[in-house]
Amino acid sequence: MFDLTSADRVEMSIQMMPRTVHIHSGLTPLQVRTRNHVAVEQVLARSGVEYFAVRGLDDRVPVIGVRADQRSAVVAALVDLARETQAYLAPILPKPAVRDVLMDGSEDTAWAKVADAKVLRMVWFRTDPTRSLVYGREYGCEIEFWGTARDGRLWGPRHNRVGRVLPGESNPVEAPMEKFTRLAGVGQDLPPVRTRPEMTVTLPDDITFPIDVVYTWVDGTDPAWQQRRAQVTGETYHAESASAARFLSRDELRYSLRSIHANAPWVRNIYIVTDDQTPRWLDDSRSNIRVVSHKEIFSDASVLPVFNSHAIESQLHHIDGLAEHFLYLNDDMFFGRPMAPQTFFLANGLSKFFLSQGRVPVGPIREDDTPVDAAHKNNRRLLEAKFGPVTTQVFQHVPYALRRSVMTEIESEFAADYALTMASRFRHTEDLSPVSNLYHHYAFLSGRALPGSVKYGYVQLAVPDLAARLARALERRDWEAYCINDAYSTEDQLAAQDAVLRPFLDGYFPVPSPYEKQG
């Protein structure tokens, strides 16, 4: 069962204001939301007033409805809660004239100022033991005062995801908390909530199908991997090629998994596709994470080993047990803020893509084309022949939303070109780029994908102001998804970059995921 025990409190300065902050180990956004919801629900239950969970419009904010004619009892219970737990108070509706009003809930003057509020918010500041990540106002629990009409029906003070008018008489029911936030998924072990039957219906935009995540990962410092690569290229393998001077592991995958644990807990299974490698820190004993060998997914294993990401990506849909809907990530991609699965898919199954301002160079493949541009041009040739339009735009380097059946169809439709890509051990001008470009155009042109929107950040490590860019990202935390790429770094830059990057990643994702070994 979800642990709702309290924790130590400390005084911290939050946005230049002194605040009491609760410290919790293993804290995630979903846990913060759950703690706040249960705190209010429990005190209302003890007071004997009627209440019900409401399906609000903000997935981070729990909402509880109460009858306006029970306001005195509700306020008395909330005052006791605020004094016992050092909660803060903010009026929500009517909207306050003063911006960012947040009052000490233990003071009578604060409650006098919200005496006529139709919606108010109880706020607790919570942090992890490192104190590098603080959750506050945006996860506070909102209490709505519902009026009663002459015919007995209840009228809500504002819109929600179900309806503002409810029958006056209704037997309370227990429902999964997952119904009330799209940030939760199955198997979260969250406590049930008390609500009304009308709030438990399945809505047209509710995603009920599973969504998996697939990574590709390689450890370039692994001597066995280096030797396999040298044998293919005909190079002479030397043991010193595995030295730290040549390769510097940043463990981006560790932090990317932390970002899923914190900000996309609705993910069902995670698959890490590797060339028979496993990160030393990874605990793959958990039932929802699995390391997958290239040998398991290549339709023609005779082409192995391969060292071409295009080739590996062309075979991802062959993973045994993979969901129809899945996200593909490189290990340099991160979920920067809590994200709902609706960011990537519609409830009817359509996938979303995120267009970039970048363009594929016009004309046929040239000798000076990058491997990426050459692959995009090959995609364009096939798509134009099948559908007619000429594709020019590329896509943001964010988690790619994919459907297994569409990838299977693409492999069949362009069998010859697809087979060449699969067998291409190193990037080649005949490659396709199946998941980063071809899939999204094909799915759109065949009516199975549409444009989406995400607040996206991209940091190239080989920039002179790297420290300033990362400091800004850590302070604002306003990217929903971001990528940290080191494609253009030179060996003499790696150590200095790592000295900046490691503290950034530790500060952004201080809470270990369940997929890390203890100790």
Side-chain angles (χ1 to χ4, degrees), residues 200-448:
T200 66
V201 299
T202 299
L203 299 174
D205 65 339
D206 287 341
I207 288 180
T208 58
F209 50 78
I211 301 172
D212 291 343
V213 159
V214 176
Y215 284 97
T216 51
W217 180 81
V218 63
D219 178 8
T221 67
D222 175 17
W225 179 87
Q226 290 183 0
Q227 190 164 17
R228 287 196 296 275
R229 191 178 189 278
Q231 288 172 346
V232 170
T233 60
E235 298 172 354
T236 301
Y237 171 73
H238 296 285
E240 62 267 23
S241 63
S243 68
R246 285 180 55 87
F247 297 97
L248 186 62
S249 174
R250 306 183 195 275
D251 279 347
E252 291 97 332
L253 179 62
R254 180 198 298 265
Y255 296 98
S256 187
L257 287 172
R258 289 185 182 187
S259 79
I260 289 179
H261 174 60
N263 297 323
W266 38 265
V267 167
R268 186 188 66 164
N269 293 328
I270 299 172
Y271 300 93
I272 304 173
V273 177
T274 78
D275 186 5
D276 293 329
Q277 297 177 307
T278 300
R280 290 185 295 271
W281 49 264
L282 183 70
D283 180 1
D284 59 356
S285 65
R286 292 186 171 268
S287 60
N288 70 326
I289 190 166
R290 184 162 71 88
V291 177
V292 179
S293 169
H294 294 173
K295 298 183 182 72
E296 298 179 50
I297 64 173
F298 269 71
S299 56
D300 181 1
S302 70
V303 304
L304 296 173
V306 298
F307 307 91
N308 177 3
S309 61
H310 291 155
I312 299 165
E313 290 164 358
S314 75
Q315 304 297 296
L316 299 180
H317 57 294
H318 296 156
I319 295 173
D320 185 37
L322 180 66
E324 162 68 5
H325 300 84
F326 68 99
L327 302 178
Y328 169 62
L329 282 75
N330 300 131
D331 63 1
D332 59 3
M333 295 179 179
F334 306 88
F335 294 90
R337 295 176 58 84
M339 301 179 74
Q342 284 81 355
T343 304
F344 302 99
F345 297 98
L346 292 185
N348 63 4
L350 271 65
S351 60
K352 296 184 181 181
F353 53 81
F354 309 99
L355 288 166
S356 166
Q357 295 302 311
R359 293 292 190 274
V360 182
V362 298
I365 294 175
R366 296 167 46 94
E367 290 185 0
D368 58 351
D369 278 335
T370 66
V372 171
D373 283 341
H376 291 348
K377 289 183 176 182
N378 289 327
N379 300 339
R380 179 166 63 194
R381 169 177 50 82
L382 297 178
L383 292 165
E384 182 181 5
K386 180 171 178 60
F387 296 106
V390 175
T391 58
T392 62
Q393 211 158 353
V394 297
F395 301 90
Q396 293 177 347
H397 198 57
V398 297
Y400 300 114
L402 306 167
R403 290 182 61 177
R404 193 176 185 183
S405 61
V406 177
M407 288 195 67
T408 301
E409 182 179 318
I410 293 171
E411 182 178 30
S412 175
E413 180 69 28
F414 307 126
D417 294 86
Y418 217 87
L420 282 175
T421 299
M422 176 191 67
S424 179
R425 282 183 167 153
F426 300 95
R427 287 194 173 185
H428 192 274
T429 56
E430 294 181 343
D431 284 355
L432 305 176
S433 48
V435 298
S436 62
N437 184 276
L438 177 59
Y439 169 93
H440 309 290
H441 286 306
Y442 185 98
F444 174 73
L445 293 170
S446 61
R448 286 169 287 183

Side-chain angles (χ1 to χ4, degrees), residues 69-191:
D69 56 14
Q70 295 184 323
R71 187 181 190 98
S72 296
V74 170
V75 170
L78 296 179
V79 169
D80 289 342
L81 176 63
R83 290 173 177 167
E84 179 185 350
T85 63
Q86 190 54 65
Y88 296 87
L89 182 65
I92 300 299
L93 190 69
K95 187 175 181 180
V98 180
R99 186 179 180 183
D100 292 334
V101 174
L102 191 62
M103 301 171 288
D104 188 337
S106 64
E107 297 178 355
D108 293 339
T109 54
W111 292 95
K113 292 178 180 178
V114 297
D116 298 321
K118 296 180 179 179
V119 182
L120 56 88
R121 182 180 294 190
M122 300 281 288
V123 175
W124 293 266
F125 288 95
R126 305 188 189 274
T127 188
D128 70 289
T130 70
R131 305 187 193 182
S132 62
L133 180 58
V134 178
Y135 300 96
R137 178 195 299 268
E138 65 273 23
Y139 295 89
C141 184
E142 294 185 348
I143 297 90
E144 297 181 341
F145 293 92
W146 287 57
T148 306
R150 291 182 180 180
D151 60 5
R153 292 184 296 169
L154 291 181
W155 285 74
R158 59 183 180 176
H159 291 292
N160 58 62
R161 296 188 66 217
V162 175
R164 291 184 66 175
V165 183
L166 300 176
E169 298 297 328
S170 178
N171 292 325
V173 296
E174 275 196 351
M177 186 175 285
E178 294 89 330
K179 277 281 187 182
F180 295 83
T181 173
R182 298 178 301 176
L183 301 182
V186 296
Q188 298 292 323
D189 196 24
L190 302 178

